[in-house]
Amino acid sequence: MDITATFRLTEQDLRRAIRNVPALRRMVMASALITVVGLLKWAGDGKPNLWLLVLGPVLMVLCEVMVVRGGAKKSAELIAEPWTVRVTEQAYSLRTAASDATVEWRLYREVTGRAGFWYLQQTNKAVGFMPQGVFDEGQRAELAEFFARALPPVKRPWYRPF
């Protein structure tokens, strides 16, 4: 297998990709949980806990404004030029205007698909992504089969959902 694709990300694509990075999704879920706990506490006690009711939404807004929008704005220079991704049986390569990297598959622990992207998580928990839409249907199927074979989903204990 040797699949190569060249593409240009828009700022909207980059925002969507950043929004769906697993660590950021966990932060948003935690923010929602804090808000729900605050509402349940208010319903149970009859007194609002402003700390919980404010903290959850503030964390969500900070995630969107600082991480998603700020990250996309800081990366505008990186997405100005096309990116080239190459997937072989041995490694994953990404070439941008600013960098050129090749990483062997043995250094990845899992690949997840979400919101039109594949998120590649390395053993050190660094996460990269590549858009699924830049590949044709046959290539997407071949890549999905390769990921399932080479990087099966990590089995997590029930007490560690993330």
Side-chain angles (χ1 to χ4, degrees), residues 3-26:
I3 299 175
T4 303
T6 299
F7 57 93
R8 177 174 270 141
L9 286 174
T10 65
E11 189 173 334
Q12 183 179 1
D13 292 335
L14 187 58
R15 283 183 189 171
R16 192 177 67 218
I18 294 170
R19 243 180 233 117
N20 286 286
V21 168
L24 190 61
R25 289 186 53 237
R26 285 193 294 272

mmCIF file of all heavy atoms in Angstrom, residues 3-26:
data_model
loop_
_atom_site.group_PDB
_atom_site.id
_atom_site.type_symbol
_atom_site.label_atom_id
_atom_site.label_comp_id
_atom_site.label_asym_id
_atom_site.label_seq_id
_atom_site.Cartn_x
_atom_site.Cartn_y
_atom_site.Cartn_z
ATOM 1 N N ILE A 3 -0.370 5.203 -0.488
ATOM 2 C CA ILE A 3 -1.418 6.164 -0.836
ATOM 3 C C ILE A 3 -0.919 7.565 -0.512
ATOM 4 O O ILE A 3 -0.457 7.836 0.597
ATOM 5 C CB ILE A 3 -2.714 5.862 -0.053
ATOM 6 C CG1 ILE A 3 -3.225 4.461 -0.415
ATOM 7 C CG2 ILE A 3 -3.762 6.916 -0.320
ATOM 8 C CD1 ILE A 3 -4.411 4.014 0.383
ATOM 9 N N THR A 4 -1.027 8.452 -1.496
ATOM 10 C CA THR A 4 -0.586 9.832 -1.322
ATOM 11 C C THR A 4 -1.717 10.770 -1.717
ATOM 12 O O THR A 4 -2.428 10.518 -2.691
ATOM 13 C CB THR A 4 0.650 10.121 -2.199
ATOM 14 O OG1 THR A 4 1.680 9.199 -1.853
ATOM 15 C CG2 THR A 4 1.158 11.532 -2.000
ATOM 16 N N ALA A 5 -1.882 11.841 -0.947
ATOM 17 C CA ALA A 5 -2.890 12.855 -1.268
ATOM 18 C C ALA A 5 -2.329 14.223 -0.929
ATOM 19 O O ALA A 5 -1.647 14.395 0.079
ATOM 20 C CB ALA A 5 -4.171 12.605 -0.486
ATOM 21 N N THR A 6 -2.613 15.191 -1.786
ATOM 22 C CA THR A 6 -2.229 16.573 -1.538
ATOM 23 C C THR A 6 -3.520 17.375 -1.403
ATOM 24 O O THR A 6 -4.439 17.219 -2.207
ATOM 25 C CB THR A 6 -1.363 17.121 -2.683
ATOM 26 O OG1 THR A 6 -0.178 16.317 -2.766
ATOM 27 C CG2 THR A 6 -0.973 18.567 -2.450
ATOM 28 N N PHE A 7 -3.574 18.221 -0.397
ATOM 29 C CA PHE A 7 -4.798 18.967 -0.123
ATOM 30 C C PHE A 7 -4.459 20.281 0.549
ATOM 31 O O PHE A 7 -3.372 20.483 1.067
ATOM 32 C CB PHE A 7 -5.748 18.146 0.765
ATOM 33 C CG PHE A 7 -5.128 17.717 2.065
ATOM 34 C CD1 PHE A 7 -5.275 18.485 3.208
ATOM 35 C CD2 PHE A 7 -4.389 16.546 2.144
ATOM 36 C CE1 PHE A 7 -4.695 18.096 4.400
ATOM 37 C CE2 PHE A 7 -3.811 16.147 3.335
ATOM 38 C CZ PHE A 7 -3.961 16.922 4.468
ATOM 39 N N ARG A 8 -5.430 21.174 0.551
ATOM 40 C CA ARG A 8 -5.304 22.457 1.238
ATOM 41 C C ARG A 8 -6.448 22.552 2.239
ATOM 42 O O ARG A 8 -7.611 22.433 1.876
ATOM 43 C CB ARG A 8 -5.360 23.604 0.240
ATOM 44 C CG ARG A 8 -5.314 24.960 0.943
ATOM 45 C CD ARG A 8 -5.231 26.116 -0.032
ATOM 46 N NE ARG A 8 -3.810 26.356 -0.256
ATOM 47 C CZ ARG A 8 -3.289 26.669 -1.419
ATOM 48 N NH1 ARG A 8 -4.032 26.787 -2.479
ATOM 49 N NH2 ARG A 8 -2.003 26.888 -1.528
ATOM 50 N N LEU A 9 -6.098 22.767 3.505
ATOM 51 C CA LEU A 9 -7.104 22.941 4.548
ATOM 52 C C LEU A 9 -7.590 24.381 4.566
ATOM 53 O O LEU A 9 -6.794 25.310 4.373
ATOM 54 C CB LEU A 9 -6.505 22.626 5.925
ATOM 55 C CG LEU A 9 -6.253 21.177 6.277
ATOM 56 C CD1 LEU A 9 -5.524 21.091 7.613
ATOM 57 C CD2 LEU A 9 -7.543 20.394 6.344
ATOM 58 N N THR A 10 -8.868 24.562 4.818
ATOM 59 C CA THR A 10 -9.391 25.899 5.058
ATOM 60 C C THR A 10 -9.358 26.133 6.567
ATOM 61 O O THR A 10 -9.186 25.200 7.350
ATOM 62 C CB THR A 10 -10.835 26.027 4.556
ATOM 63 O OG1 THR A 10 -11.664 25.151 5.328
ATOM 64 C CG2 THR A 10 -10.940 25.688 3.072
ATOM 65 N N GLU A 11 -9.529 27.378 6.980
ATOM 66 C CA GLU A 11 -9.564 27.667 8.418
ATOM 67 C C GLU A 11 -10.739 26.952 9.070
ATOM 68 O O GLU A 11 -10.635 26.457 10.194
ATOM 69 C CB GLU A 11 -9.644 29.172 8.666
ATOM 70 C CG GLU A 11 -9.453 29.521 10.128
ATOM 71 C CD GLU A 11 -9.351 31.012 10.392
ATOM 72 O OE1 GLU A 11 -8.950 31.755 9.485
ATOM 73 O OE2 GLU A 11 -9.671 31.406 11.520
ATOM 74 N N GLN A 12 -11.855 26.844 8.360
ATOM 75 C CA GLN A 12 -13.025 26.137 8.886
ATOM 76 C C GLN A 12 -12.716 24.651 9.072
ATOM 77 O O GLN A 12 -13.094 24.059 10.084
ATOM 78 C CB GLN A 12 -14.216 26.318 7.939
ATOM 79 C CG GLN A 12 -15.483 25.674 8.432
ATOM 80 C CD GLN A 12 -16.644 25.893 7.462
ATOM 81 O OE1 GLN A 12 -16.496 26.518 6.416
ATOM 82 N NE2 GLN A 12 -17.795 25.368 7.819
ATOM 83 N N ASP A 13 -12.021 24.037 8.113
ATOM 84 C CA ASP A 13 -11.611 22.632 8.258
ATOM 85 C C ASP A 13 -10.716 22.456 9.475
ATOM 86 O O ASP A 13 -10.869 21.504 10.238
ATOM 87 C CB ASP A 13 -10.839 22.152 7.019
ATOM 88 C CG ASP A 13 -11.695 22.057 5.779
ATOM 89 O OD1 ASP A 13 -12.926 21.900 5.905
ATOM 90 O OD2 ASP A 13 -11.119 22.148 4.673
ATOM 91 N N LEU A 14 -9.774 23.366 9.631
ATOM 92 C CA LEU A 14 -8.842 23.271 10.749
ATOM 93 C C LEU A 14 -9.568 23.426 12.077
ATOM 94 O O LEU A 14 -9.293 22.689 13.034
ATOM 95 C CB LEU A 14 -7.738 24.324 10.614
ATOM 96 C CG LEU A 14 -6.610 24.242 11.628
ATOM 97 C CD1 LEU A 14 -5.929 22.876 11.580
ATOM 98 C CD2 LEU A 14 -5.601 25.339 11.378
ATOM 99 N N ARG A 15 -10.516 24.345 12.152
ATOM 100 C CA ARG A 15 -11.304 24.501 13.389
ATOM 101 C C ARG A 15 -12.065 23.223 13.705
ATOM 102 O O ARG A 15 -12.113 22.783 14.851
ATOM 103 C CB ARG A 15 -12.293 25.652 13.246
ATOM 104 C CG ARG A 15 -11.685 27.001 13.377
ATOM 105 C CD ARG A 15 -12.767 28.048 13.300
ATOM 106 N NE ARG A 15 -12.190 29.368 13.225
ATOM 107 C CZ ARG A 15 -12.900 30.444 12.975
ATOM 108 N NH1 ARG A 15 -14.199 30.370 12.770
ATOM 109 N NH2 ARG A 15 -12.315 31.618 12.924
ATOM 110 N N ARG A 16 -12.690 22.639 12.690
ATOM 111 C CA ARG A 16 -13.445 21.408 12.909
ATOM 112 C C ARG A 16 -12.527 20.287 13.375
ATOM 113 O O ARG A 16 -12.865 19.520 14.268
ATOM 114 C CB ARG A 16 -14.177 21.005 11.624
ATOM 115 C CG ARG A 16 -15.213 19.913 11.863
ATOM 116 C CD ARG A 16 -15.980 19.569 10.624
ATOM 117 N NE ARG A 16 -15.046 18.941 9.695
ATOM 118 C CZ ARG A 16 -15.049 19.123 8.389
ATOM 119 N NH1 ARG A 16 -15.931 19.893 7.839
ATOM 120 N NH2 ARG A 16 -14.172 18.510 7.619
ATOM 121 N N ALA A 17 -11.337 20.215 12.802
ATOM 122 C CA ALA A 17 -10.376 19.192 13.206
ATOM 123 C C ALA A 17 -9.933 19.397 14.651
ATOM 124 O O ALA A 17 -9.878 18.443 15.430
ATOM 125 C CB ALA A 17 -9.165 19.204 12.272
ATOM 126 N N ILE A 18 -9.625 20.633 15.008
ATOM 127 C CA ILE A 18 -9.181 20.916 16.376
ATOM 128 C C ILE A 18 -10.302 20.632 17.371
ATOM 129 O O ILE A 18 -10.073 20.064 18.438
ATOM 130 C CB ILE A 18 -8.702 22.384 16.501
ATOM 131 C CG1 ILE A 18 -7.439 22.603 15.664
ATOM 132 C CG2 ILE A 18 -8.437 22.746 17.961
ATOM 133 C CD1 ILE A 18 -7.038 24.063 15.537
ATOM 134 N N ARG A 19 -11.536 21.016 17.026
ATOM 135 C CA ARG A 19 -12.686 20.797 17.916
ATOM 136 C C ARG A 19 -12.873 19.328 18.267
ATOM 137 O O ARG A 19 -13.371 19.009 19.333
ATOM 138 C CB ARG A 19 -13.952 21.288 17.217
ATOM 139 C CG ARG A 19 -14.623 22.401 17.895
ATOM 140 C CD ARG A 19 -15.884 22.856 17.179
ATOM 141 N NE ARG A 19 -15.770 24.287 16.979
ATOM 142 C CZ ARG A 19 -15.729 24.893 15.809
ATOM 143 N NH1 ARG A 19 -15.842 24.218 14.699
ATOM 144 N NH2 ARG A 19 -15.591 26.196 15.737
ATOM 145 N N ASN A 20 -12.487 18.449 17.373
ATOM 146 C CA ASN A 20 -12.727 17.023 17.572
ATOM 147 C C ASN A 20 -11.503 16.251 18.043
ATOM 148 O O ASN A 20 -11.540 15.026 18.096
ATOM 149 C CB ASN A 20 -13.286 16.410 16.289
ATOM 150 C CG ASN A 20 -14.725 16.808 16.099
ATOM 151 O OD1 ASN A 20 -15.599 16.321 16.780
ATOM 152 N ND2 ASN A 20 -14.960 17.743 15.205
ATOM 153 N N VAL A 21 -10.429 16.947 18.400
ATOM 154 C CA VAL A 21 -9.272 16.277 18.994
ATOM 155 C C VAL A 21 -9.737 15.667 20.315
ATOM 156 O O VAL A 21 -10.439 16.330 21.091
ATOM 157 C CB VAL A 21 -8.111 17.279 19.203
ATOM 158 C CG1 VAL A 21 -7.018 16.689 20.068
ATOM 159 C CG2 VAL A 21 -7.557 17.718 17.865
ATOM 160 N N PRO A 22 -9.396 14.416 20.581
ATOM 161 C CA PRO A 22 -9.911 13.745 21.787
ATOM 162 C C PRO A 22 -9.723 14.518 23.096
ATOM 163 O O PRO A 22 -10.643 14.585 23.910
ATOM 164 C CB PRO A 22 -9.144 12.424 21.807
ATOM 165 C CG PRO A 22 -8.850 12.154 20.359
ATOM 166 C CD PRO A 22 -8.605 13.504 19.759
ATOM 167 N N ALA A 23 -8.585 15.133 23.320
ATOM 168 C CA ALA A 23 -8.349 15.852 24.583
ATOM 169 C C ALA A 23 -9.304 17.044 24.720
ATOM 170 O O ALA A 23 -9.832 17.306 25.811
ATOM 171 C CB ALA A 23 -6.903 16.326 24.662
ATOM 172 N N LEU A 24 -9.557 17.760 23.642
ATOM 173 C CA LEU A 24 -10.465 18.900 23.697
ATOM 174 C C LEU A 24 -11.909 18.429 23.891
ATOM 175 O O LEU A 24 -12.668 19.051 24.637
ATOM 176 C CB LEU A 24 -10.338 19.751 22.434
ATOM 177 C CG LEU A 24 -11.068 21.084 22.487
ATOM 178 C CD1 LEU A 24 -10.518 21.961 23.611
ATOM 179 C CD2 LEU A 24 -10.938 21.808 21.171
ATOM 180 N N ARG A 25 -12.261 17.333 23.260
ATOM 181 C CA ARG A 25 -13.607 16.788 23.455
ATOM 182 C C ARG A 25 -13.824 16.393 24.909
ATOM 183 O O ARG A 25 -14.900 16.605 25.472
ATOM 184 C CB ARG A 25 -13.842 15.592 22.536
ATOM 185 C CG ARG A 25 -13.973 16.018 21.083
ATOM 186 C CD ARG A 25 -14.339 14.890 20.147
ATOM 187 N NE ARG A 25 -15.506 14.187 20.586
ATOM 188 C CZ ARG A 25 -15.548 12.873 20.820
ATOM 189 N NH1 ARG A 25 -14.492 12.127 20.639
ATOM 190 N NH2 ARG A 25 -16.651 12.284 21.212
ATOM 191 N N ARG A 26 -12.794 15.824 25.543
ATOM 192 C CA ARG A 26 -12.908 15.467 26.961
ATOM 193 C C ARG A 26 -13.107 16.710 27.816
ATOM 194 O O ARG A 26 -13.889 16.709 28.768
ATOM 195 C CB ARG A 26 -11.667 14.703 27.417
ATOM 196 C CG ARG A 26 -11.634 13.278 26.919
ATOM 197 C CD ARG A 26 -10.573 12.457 27.629
ATOM 198 N NE ARG A 26 -9.215 12.874 27.354
ATOM 199 C CZ ARG A 26 -8.474 12.448 26.345
ATOM 200 N NH1 ARG A 26 -8.966 11.567 25.485
ATOM 201 N NH2 ARG A 26 -7.245 12.878 26.193
#
